[in-house]
Amino acid sequence: WQDGRVRRQRWDAGTLAGSEGAEPFAPSAPLPTSYFDACRELRELLETVVRRQVIADVPVGLFLSGGVDSSALAAVAAEQLGRENTHTFSLGFRGGDENYDETDKAKLVAEHLGTQHHVLMASEEDLLSALDDLVTHYDEPFADAAALPVLLLSRLTREYVKVSLSGEGADELFGGYRRYVAETRLTGHPLWRRLVAYSPLPELAGVLPRMRRLKMLMRACRQGDATARYASYLTLFDARAREELLRPEWRADAAHDPVNVWRRRDPGPQAGRVGRLCLMDQRTWLVDTYLEKADKASMAASLEVRVPYLDREMIAFANRLPDSWRIRLGSKKRMLRDAMRSKLPAEILDRPKQGFAVPLDAWFRGPLSRMLREELLDSQAASAKYLDQGAVQRWIEAHQRGHAEVADQLWTLLMFERWLRHVEQNLT
């Protein structure tokens, strides 16, 4: 609001000051010429940001996964709040795959920092008991399965504090995703794309029963430009899948091209290879998925979640970084890791990114297989008006027999079914 008029403005691109539709969060002061001076500036900035974010009239805690993002926040917050006053919270899966359970890493960080640490070990029953609550609170077919553990973690956290810090945004600012490395070192490289185009690799990958990441690389290599390649990493249902799954009367919608979502938000190659992908994610993936997931799940538990990495000064700083300061030789979030070496040990900073995921792959082959069939293949299923149940059955059988790895897609269909049922119940 200015001079009696509403002014609409986008704030997301410290590197792209002056470009169309984008302005920096803060004056574009030049970065230090030395990488190590820039690391020091980042560390000092993180301390400043966290100091602002922990101001509250109520107790403040932190989500702690054991990864570099939340560990960095916990290290700074523990110094400012005092170790004995710093409460950290993590969630694991009872009897689950260790690939999805980071509680041992979070415990290691908490012990190193001396925080008051709280852990919730959840089972598939715990998650399923919260499924209808999730559908109600999100009020749309939201299909990120990590929303379930975030809801349970928020409920645990709310038992002790009313405000929690969370690490959303660090990956999108400092280059934390595998797809960034893939695009800069593999799929975006002309020689690699030419090799894939004139080799049997895509066909061989297509007949393999699993190897989801390899198939993703092959699919990306076949895209004509950088935006389409990047969109292919995040598109669950390609045109062929949409054509197969939708009933005939809805197949006209299968022509929708989801790549346009990214094209409208692509800052262009002037941002640098990594910077371009980071900005696209800040404008799409971060706001449409991660922030919505954290906000709705936490507010459903009456918990306020704050995101220090998305402080305006932090975004302005990060979006001016050269690509090599974000990712170097395949090492993701290089600068954030190096900035925290005086506060955290290497065993915490240098371990591979794991992510906050749910073991859907195993659950849909085991304890949840019956529930999946009963809900999606029931003759009275709400989604049967839109989905070809014969195709859905083939997808379920292919996954459960180990012939395909489509757990995320099946979860999306399940959430669509649950949401439709919720809407119909509330309209009658």
Side-chain angles (χ1 to χ4, degrees):
W1 182 266
Q2 186 175 7
D3 299 328
R5 295 178 298 173
V6 174
R7 182 184 179 193
R8 188 175 181 179
Q9 194 170 5
R10 175 187 292 164
W11 297 92
D12 67 352
T15 6
L16 300 179
S19 64
E20 182 179 355
E23 293 200 20
F25 278 100
S28 297
L31 286 170
T33 56
S34 162
Y35 172 77
F36 296 103
D37 287 343
C39 287
R40 185 184 66 252
E41 183 173 326
L42 172 56
R43 184 169 58 252
E44 293 171 353
L45 178 58
L46 189 60
E47 292 170 352
T48 300
V49 167
V50 171
R51 187 176 299 112
R52 286 199 291 258
Q53 297 274 338
V54 297
I55 296 174
D57 296 326
V58 294
V60 178
L62 300 98
F63 291 164
L64 180 62
S65 69
V68 62
D69 309 336
S70 61
S71 299
L73 294 180
V76 175
E79 290 178 347
Q80 298 181 2
L81 295 173
R83 295 169 186 253
E84 68 283 355
N85 296 322
T86 304
H87 290 258
T88 52
F89 304 89
S90 62
L91 180 140
F93 299 105
R94 194 181 309 134
D97 188 334
E98 64 179 8
N99 292 324
Y100 294 89
D101 189 345
E102 292 186 286
T103 52
D104 57 335
K105 283 83 174 180
K107 182 180 178 182
L108 177 66
V109 177
E111 289 176 347
H112 174 78
L113 299 176
T115 66
Q116 307 301 309
H117 191 53
H118 312 272
V119 180
L120 173 64
M121 297 303 296
S123 66
E124 60 267 21
E125 288 81 10
D126 297 322
L127 295 170
L128 287 176
S129 67
L131 187 55
D132 284 331
D133 290 341
L134 198 74
V135 172
T136 300
H137 291 305
Y138 277 80
D139 200 30
E140 62 178 302
F142 188 79
D144 186 342
L148 275 170
V150 172
L151 176 60
L152 295 180
L153 181 61
S154 296
R155 289 174 175 174
L156 168 70
T157 304
R158 183 59 181 80
E159 294 177 12
Y160 298 87
V161 300
K162 294 184 178 181
V163 176
S164 181
L165 305 188
S166 186
E168 273 79 14
D171 287 318
E172 293 82 2
L173 291 178
F174 296 102
Y177 293 122
R178 294 186 187 94
R179 55 184 181 264
Y180 297 167
V181 178
E183 173 62 16
T184 54
R185 302 189 72 188
L186 292 173
T187 55
H189 198 287
L191 292 178
W192 170 257
R193 291 174 58 208
R194 194 173 297 118
L195 172 65
V196 170
Y198 294 100
S199 75
L201 281 174
E203 288 71 22
L204 290 174
V207 300
L208 293 173
R210 307 294 293 274
M211 305 296 287
R212 180 174 62 90
R213 296 192 189 281
L214 177 60
K215 292 178 180 179
M216 196 178 295
L217 285 173
M218 297 299 104
R219 185 175 63 194
C221 282
R222 290 183 160 182
Q223 306 304 314
D225 59 78
T227 308
R229 285 197 300 274
Y230 192 65
S232 72
Y233 287 111
L234 297 171
T235 301
L236 277 180
F237 298 96
D238 60 18
R240 180 181 298 179
R242 298 194 299 272
E243 181 77 18
E244 179 182 1
L245 287 167
L246 289 171
R247 290 176 60 88
E249 59 268 34
W250 298 102
R251 285 177 185 165
D253 293 334
H256 164 72
D257 186 2
V259 177
N260 289 330
V261 173
W262 283 272
R263 290 202 192 284
R264 290 194 298 269
R265 294 163 176 83
D266 186 350
Q270 71 271 22
R273 279 191 170 187
V274 178
R276 180 182 189 178
L277 305 182
C278 287
L279 282 169
M280 275 199 285
D281 270 342
Q282 290 169 35
R283 298 171 178 180
T284 56
W285 182 257
L286 178 62
V287 294
D288 295 335
T289 301
Y290 277 4
L291 291 181
E292 182 174 7
K293 173 178 62 181
D295 185 55
K296 289 186 175 179
S298 59
M299 293 305 287
S302 299
L303 176 73
E304 178 187 344
V305 166
R306 299 176 180 177
V307 283
Y309 289 111
L310 296 179
D311 182 276
R312 294 170 66 167
E313 287 187 60
M314 183 68 74
I315 296 178
F317 173 88
N319 280 341
R320 299 199 306 273
L321 296 177
D323 284 356
S324 62
W325 289 10
R326 283 166 155 150
I327 295 177
R328 183 175 177 83
L329 300 177
S331 176
K332 302 180 292 296
K333 288 184 288 196
R334 176 195 180 201
M335 174 168 280
L336 181 59
R337 296 176 194 275
D338 288 344
M340 296 304 297
R341 293 203 180 275
S342 63
K343 298 181 183 293
L344 292 167
E347 60 184 318
I348 294 171
L349 293 172
D350 294 332
R351 72 180 189 88
K353 177 180 174 62
Q354 190 164 326
F356 197 16
V358 179
L360 293 175
D361 186 77
W363 286 1
F364 280 161
R365 289 190 175 91
L368 303 188
S369 60
R370 181 176 177 180
M371 181 272 290
L372 187 67
R373 288 176 171 274
E374 287 177 349
E375 296 210 14
L376 290 178
L377 301 180
D378 187 276
S379 59
Q380 301 301 313
S383 59
K385 289 179 270 188
Y386 306 96
L387 302 176
D388 183 323
Q389 287 191 309
V392 174
Q393 182 174 358
R394 290 193 295 273
W395 279 55
I396 293 174
E397 291 177 351
H399 182 81
Q400 293 181 347
R401 292 175 181 174
H403 297 161
E405 193 174 0
V406 289
D408 290 337
Q409 290 87 338
L410 294 175
W411 177 261
T412 301
L413 299 182
L414 178 63
M415 291 303 293
F416 181 51
E417 167 65 29
R418 287 272 180 139
W419 176 76
L420 286 171
R421 195 186 313 165
H422 170 73
V423 171
E424 290 181 355
Q425 288 173 351
N426 282 276
L427 289 177
T428 56

